[in-house]
Amino acid sequence: MCAVLANSNGGDAHLKLDLTGPASKPDPRAYLLTCERAGIAPTEVLMVGNSLAHDVLGPLDAGLDAVLLDRHDAHPDAHVRRIDSLHDLSW
């Protein structure tokens, strides 16, 4: 199963608020509510994204596993799992 949680300030922001309430990334409640609505335990989720705060630290705080897609080596000192290409993704 795949679920998508994305930040936005465009026209879909109202739909996102309807789905997740007032919580947004990196608030752990946003990830937990997404997991709940998808019927997936947080411990069974791998979050992949290019924002250290929103796509890795927030999910880790919520109990999800997370991988930073760091294509340009912008976070070499981050103490998180990092990949530079989606081709390197494995779980």
Side-chain angles (χ1 to χ4, degrees):
M1 169 178 267
C2 178
V4 175
L5 174 63
N7 283 348
S8 172
N9 59 4
D12 62 343
H14 292 288
L15 174 61
K16 285 176 32 183
L17 281 173
D18 289 343
L19 294 174
T20 63
S24 63
K25 298 189 313 184
D27 185 330
R29 294 175 297 171
Y31 309 100
L32 295 173
L33 184 57
T34 300
C35 291
E36 179 183 315
R37 294 210 170 157
I40 305 169
T43 56
E44 297 177 351
V45 172
L46 174 64
M47 177 73 176
V48 179
N50 62 357
S51 168
L52 180 60
H54 293 108
D55 300 327
V56 178
L57 299 180
L60 290 173
D61 286 344
L64 286 69
D65 194 5
V67 175
L68 178 63
L69 178 58
D70 192 6
R71 290 185 170 114
H72 305 290
D73 201 29
H75 302 283
D77 297 326
H79 297 290
V80 298
R81 191 167 143 204
R82 294 173 43 230
I83 57 175
D84 60 16
S85 168
L86 290 176
H87 294 289
D88 298 330
L89 186 60
S90 63
W91 69 94

